[in-house]
């Protein structure tokens, strides 16, 4: 594929399509050295790692950002079952192999954090270390996920429950893809998120829409040109592939029965924005890191930062990420969470 797919593809990076068992995965790679696989979340693309690709390449790493299956230029199977966690793990392993490598460090954000953690859990022979951004590792537990989410919100519906019925969320989002994306990005960003009641955006009132509580400002870290690109990709693909990740959560729970409560033992990194609502909801998961992430090297909460950490604070994230990667070549010591301005 052409190097000029977008005007903000980092200089020296190139776009490729590689074969995987479920079709093809589109990726953007830059640099040479140990492989670092970057996995985005919802609703994003490889583009969310645009600031990390050149920084990792300059630090001596081969940085590869993928479009997760169902997104962008990667294959988007029709069946909901095609998006269960095992399929994503297989995609990641196949990408590593297609690039001529045996092992990689895997780093994920949002849903990509979960995919990265489970890739490390299920294939420790391939993924030798794992970085988690925004969403902490939560081992498989005793309650079926949709049952747990149905208990949240009282008279309103938690967004994960809202996403379960095929076609329902798509009908809302695809009426105005650019506007919906802009509102979703802005509402979860540190510089534009609501001053109070920010958690309410994740709950849908009866007869309402998720977007009813979005803010209207575009976040400062996303240009109009970049928003246009993201919107154009989702206009072309639709949102079903992206939303199907939510719709396989119960299947994942069944598939991971053999890993109930299992820790991820490889060296790990956790970075999140202190204003990210996920940090409040999943506070117990972070407290459990000594047992669930026994290989944790460092944990960081970025002050004033929202959900989109690697886009909101690229320089700071690049510094933390490259320092952690460099530490993997020598002795590591587990550190408690630190707050960074």
């Amino acid at each position: 594929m052409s190097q000029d797919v977008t005007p903000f593809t980092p200089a020296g990076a190139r776009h490729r399509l590689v074969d995987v068992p479920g079709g093809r995965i589109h990726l953007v790679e830059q640099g040479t050295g140990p492989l670092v696989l970057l996995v985005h979340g919802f609703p994003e693309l490889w583009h969310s790692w645009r600031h990390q690709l050149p920084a990792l390449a300059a630090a001596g790493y081969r940085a590869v950002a993928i479009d997760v299956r169902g997104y962008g230029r990667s294959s988007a199977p029709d069946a909901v079952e095609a998006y269960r966690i095992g399929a994503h793990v297989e995609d990641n392993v196949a990408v590593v192999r297609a690039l001529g490598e045996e092992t990689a460090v895997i780093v994920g954000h949002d849903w990509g954090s979960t995919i990265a953690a489970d890739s490390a859990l299920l294939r420790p022979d391939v993924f030798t270390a794992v970085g988690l951004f925004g969403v902490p590792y939560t081992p498989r537990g005793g309650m079926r996920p949709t049952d747990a989410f149905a208990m949240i919100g009282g008279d309103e519906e938690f967004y994960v429950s809202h996403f379960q019925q095929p076609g329902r969320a798509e009908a809302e989002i695809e009426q105005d893809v650019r506007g919906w994306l802009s509102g979703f990005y802005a509402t979860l960003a540190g510089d534009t998120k609501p001053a109070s009641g920010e958690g309410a955006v994740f709950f849908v009132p009866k007869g309402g829409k998720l977007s009813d509580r979005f803010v209207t400002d575009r976040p400062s870290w996303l240009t109009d040109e970049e928003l246009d690109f993201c919107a154009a990709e989702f206009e072309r693909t639709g949102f079903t592939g992206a939303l199907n990740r939510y719709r396989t959560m119960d299947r994942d729970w069944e598939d991971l029965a053999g890993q109930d409560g299992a820790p991820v033992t490889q060296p790990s990194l956790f970075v999140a924005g202190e204003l990210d609502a996920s940090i409040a909801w999943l506070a117990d998961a972070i407290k459990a890191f000594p047992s669930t992430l026994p290989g944790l090297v460092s944990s960081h909460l970025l002050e004033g930062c929202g959900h989109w950490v690697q886009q909101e604070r690229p320089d700071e994230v690049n510094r933390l990420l490259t320092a952690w990667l460099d530490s993997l070549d020598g002795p590591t010591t587990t550190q408690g969470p630190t707050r960074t301005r």
Side-chain angles (χ1 to χ4, degrees):
M1 296 181 68
S2 168
Q3 183 173 318
D4 300 319
V5 171
T6 70
F8 41 81
T9 298
R14 66 170 182 150
H15 293 253
R16 290 179 60 181
L17 288 170
V18 299
D19 292 330
V20 299
R24 296 192 300 178
I25 292 292
H26 167 245
L27 59 86
V28 181
E29 66 172 323
Q30 186 168 6
T32 59
L35 178 60
V36 182
L37 186 64
L38 304 168
V39 187
H40 68 79
F42 175 88
E44 299 178 277
L45 300 157
W46 74 266
H47 159 271
S48 69
W49 301 104
R50 64 199 178 280
H51 303 298
Q52 283 66 54
L53 290 167
L56 293 179
Y61 295 94
R62 184 183 186 185
V64 174
I66 65 170
D67 280 337
V68 172
R69 72 162 57 193
Y71 287 84
R73 305 284 164 166
S74 292
S75 295
D78 292 331
V80 173
E81 291 78 7
Y83 295 86
R84 58 207 313 159
I85 193 65
H88 289 285
V89 174
E90 288 179 0
D91 284 348
N92 292 336
V93 171
V95 168
V96 173
R97 298 289 188 252
L99 294 173
E101 304 288 350
E102 295 297 323
T103 62
V105 174
I106 189 167
V107 179
H109 170 254
D110 184 79
W111 258 123
S113 177
T114 300
I115 294 171
D118 286 334
S119 294
L121 177 68
L122 297 173
R123 292 302 304 266
D125 57 316
V126 177
F127 301 106
T128 58
V130 58
L132 309 177
F133 287 7
V135 174
Y137 173 58
T138 304
R140 192 252 195 209
M143 182 176 289
R144 186 176 295 274
T146 55
D147 292 340
F149 290 124
M151 297 170 61
I152 301 175
D155 292 336
E156 297 189 336
E157 187 177 36
F158 192 51
Y159 81 106
V160 176
S161 300
H162 180 70
F163 286 169
Q164 292 302 308
Q165 181 182 338
R168 183 183 180 194
E170 289 94 325
E172 172 190 340
I173 300 169
E174 292 172 9
Q175 288 180 357
D176 178 12
V177 169
R178 190 183 191 279
W180 195 93
L181 285 174
S182 180
F184 192 74
Y185 295 151
T187 304
L188 304 191
D191 61 345
T192 48
K193 72 192 300 293
S196 62
E198 60 271 10
V201 71
F202 294 100
F203 297 90
V204 182
K206 290 182 178 178
K209 299 180 295 184
L210 185 64
S211 58
D212 288 342
R213 290 168 174 157
F214 286 179
V215 299
T216 57
D217 296 331
R218 177 179 54 76
S220 60
W221 44 265
L222 188 70
T223 67
D224 283 329
E225 183 180 48
E226 290 170 338
L227 179 59
D228 287 343
F229 165 70
C230 294
E233 288 290 88
F234 282 106
E235 288 276 10
R236 184 177 55 80
T237 64
F239 274 79
T240 296
L243 290 164
N244 279 345
R245 180 83 282 274
Y246 292 91
R247 295 165 185 159
T248 58
M249 297 179 78
D250 285 351
R251 295 174 175 87
D252 296 346
W253 182 79
E254 295 166 357
D255 293 343
L256 294 172
Q259 286 77 35
D260 195 73
V264 171
T265 59
Q266 295 95 314
S268 56
L269 167 73
F270 179 68
V271 181
E274 67 161 356
L275 300 181
D276 191 337
S278 300
I279 302 309
W281 295 332
L282 298 173
D284 288 344
I286 296 174
K287 291 178 182 177
F289 279 171
S291 59
T292 61
L293 289 177
L296 184 67
V297 175
S298 60
S299 177
H300 307 270
L301 293 180
L302 309 189
E303 293 187 6
C305 184
H307 181 63
W308 319 102
V309 283
Q310 75 270 31
Q311 299 186 78
E312 294 186 49
R313 298 285 184 83
D315 293 341
E316 191 169 2
V317 166
N318 292 345
R319 177 178 59 80
L320 294 172
L321 181 55
T322 54
W324 172 68
L325 289 168
D326 290 346
S327 78
L328 299 178
D329 292 330
T332 60
T333 56
T334 302
Q335 303 176 13
T338 60
R339 291 183 179 272
T340 308
R341 292 184 180 276

